[in-house]
Amino acid sequence: MKFVLCFLTFCLVSPLFGTAKTLPRGLWSFSAYQEDSTVQKIGVNPSNDEQSWITKDLNDAALNDLPNFQALAPIPGIDLNTKLAEYWDVNRFHFDLAYGLTDRLTAFANVIYDSSRIRFTDGFISQMAIANQATGGRIPLSPRYMKAYHLSDTFVGLKYRVADPLAFTVRGTFGPLKTGRDDYASRELDYVKEIPTGTVYDQYEFYTNYDETFFGLPFRFMYGYIHKNQGYQNFFDNRDITMNMGDLHLLGVGVDYKLSKKWDTRLDLTYIHSNSDQVRENNVWRTLPASEADAIIGKVGATYSPYPFLQIFTDAFIPLQNDLNGKLYDSPGRLQPGWNVQYGVRLFYM
């Protein structure tokens, strides 16, 4: 499982995805940028009907909000009002590399290093210790922290410009590109457990970009489709579940405005729809009710270009609407970050 906390918009931040433009033949593009955000809300289903989802602040969610923990109530010393986590910080470093194979065809790679951290409450740690002892070890002890300190999966792709306003992009991660640590590979040492930074499934993405000018302003339109294979999750109340994650559909529109010769600004809206998830139970697959998810993401950004070969940029985006439902701790899904801020530099070299 991969915590896609930025609602997959990390793939839309680079101009490589946001526009129909491609790099000229022989031109290299190097981008390095930092991403900072916090998980602020979580979707919970205390009634255990898989349909009545409630949104809570992360630091207000308690044992009683998660059905699997409700089963611990008969154990002496268990308090279901115990809060789960204090905070969940997300810090990632991105490196994007692109090269113009021809004036119409660009090859690229996207690499992310994840250094996120979750801090569980002392009460939750104590409660899991009580449950562990009472059940003879069937309930695992809780770590004090979960930390990510590894590469995420590496993506590679191609972008082809059919005509000046129209381009198609294909991107994916598979085989040796699965450089992240997934749920099976995550370890626990000295009360610290790894946050998975990669997925157990391959992922394939397809995008169409179309540029057009209205009222003297350049607009950008995007449609995306993301296919995911069979995955796995082992976190909070999702204990060793195997699932087929629903494919994603994305629609985006953006507009650029040039403040001066060196300053550019942009505004984007992205709509994401996730198809229903399926989970395997007793070797039988079933579709999860109310597991379709929709989200609308707003983003603003600016770029400063002191030289033709150098850009300094920043972007900030936030969910404007999010269902916060479904089986998975993911996004779209049961997690929602607050403001996500990115800042970095881009170099061009011929």
Side-chain angles (χ1 to χ4, degrees):
M1 175 269 298
K2 186 177 183 179
F3 298 115
V4 196
L5 301 178
C6 51
F7 295 90
L8 302 171
T9 49
F10 74 86
C11 66
L12 305 174
V13 170
S14 169
L16 185 65
F17 290 94
T19 177
K21 295 178 181 177
T22 52
L23 294 177
R25 180 181 179 181
L27 183 66
W28 289 90
S29 172
F30 307 91
S31 300
Y33 52 100
Q34 176 75 23
E35 170 194 344
D36 299 313
S37 65
T38 61
V39 175
Q40 294 189 352
K41 296 184 182 297
I42 183 173
V44 297
N45 179 226
S47 63
N48 197 24
D49 63 0
E50 295 185 336
Q51 297 191 55
S52 305
W53 293 95
I54 300 172
T55 298
K56 279 202 166 186
D57 290 340
L58 176 69
N59 53 16
D60 285 336
L63 289 175
N64 198 44
D65 293 317
L66 305 181
N68 282 5
F69 291 143
Q70 294 172 5
L72 305 178
I75 298 176
I78 291 293
D79 179 5
L80 294 182
N81 293 316
T82 302
K83 302 296 176 61
L84 300 176
E86 293 184 6
Y87 58 81
W88 188 339
D89 292 334
V90 180
N91 305 105
R92 293 189 176 117
F93 179 79
H94 298 245
F95 180 75
D96 297 342
L97 171 67
Y99 177 71
L101 297 172
T102 71
D103 287 343
R104 292 185 177 273
L105 183 62
T106 295
F108 61 89
N110 310 120
V111 181
I112 302 175
Y113 183 86
D114 195 335
S115 59
S116 305
R117 185 168 74 164
I118 305 170
R119 174 62 162 97
F120 296 103
T121 65
D122 292 337
F124 178 68
I125 296 169
S126 299
Q127 293 287 290
M128 292 301 98
I130 294 172
N132 176 270
Q133 184 176 16
T135 61
R138 287 189 293 109
I139 302 297
L141 293 169
S142 170
R144 182 173 294 111
Y145 291 95
M146 288 187 72
K147 292 183 179 180
Y149 41 89
H150 202 275
L151 288 175
S152 296
D153 294 334
T154 298
F155 283 80
V156 297
L158 293 170
K159 183 174 185 178
Y160 181 68
R161 179 166 54 87
V162 179
D164 285 343
L166 178 65
F168 298 104
T169 300
V170 59
R171 189 180 85 139
T173 181
F174 45 84
L177 298 174
K178 305 290 291 176
T179 49
R181 295 185 66 85
D182 59 40
D183 282 87
Y184 291 115
S186 62
R187 303 167 295 180
E188 184 170 343
L189 181 66
D190 296 331
Y191 303 105
V192 177
K193 183 176 176 61
E194 280 187 281
I195 298 176
T197 60
T199 63
V200 300
Y201 55 83
D202 299 338
Q203 184 165 312
Y204 303 95
E205 307 179 3
F206 307 90
Y207 298 93
T208 299
N209 293 97
Y210 181 77
D211 299 345
E212 189 59 83
T213 299
F214 296 102
F215 311 109
L217 295 174
F219 280 79
R220 297 170 278 106
F221 300 91
M222 178 274 299
Y223 168 74
Y225 176 79
I226 298 177
H227 173 69
K228 304 179 181 183
N229 290 336
Q230 182 173 299
Y232 169 83
Q233 189 168 88
N234 186 22
F235 181 73
F236 272 156
D237 55 332
N238 282 347
R239 296 296 183 187
D240 297 311
I241 66 169
T242 300
M243 72 281 181
N244 278 327
M245 300 176 66
D247 290 351
L248 300 176
H249 299 268
L250 300 88
L251 291 172
V253 58
V255 60
D256 300 326
Y257 183 74
K258 197 170 188 65
L259 294 176
S260 67
K261 185 177 180 180
K262 295 184 177 181
W263 279 98
D264 293 277
T265 59
R266 53 192 165 273
L267 176 67
D268 291 81
L269 285 175
T270 303
Y271 166 77
I272 304 175
H273 174 78
S274 173
N275 292 342
S276 297
D277 301 316
Q278 293 183 317
V279 62
R280 189 172 68 187
E281 299 170 338
N282 300 319
N283 293 321
V284 176
W285 288 96
R286 72 178 179 94
T287 299
L288 291 165
S291 60
E292 291 191 18
D294 295 285
I296 299 175
I297 315 301
K299 185 183 75 169
V300 294
T303 299
Y304 175 62
S305 305
Y307 305 101
F309 60 85
L310 173 64
Q311 294 180 346
I312 302 170
F313 61 90
T314 183
D315 290 277
F317 46 95
I318 191 170
L320 302 176
Q321 184 271 325
N322 183 23
D323 291 341
L324 279 171
N325 59 11
K327 181 71 172 175
L328 303 179
Y329 289 100
D330 205 342
S331 193
R334 297 169 65 182
L335 299 177
Q336 178 172 304
W339 279 100
N340 186 308
V341 179
Q342 298 181 347
Y343 44 91
V345 298
R346 184 175 296 111
L347 294 172
F348 298 97
Y349 175 76
M350 179 68 76

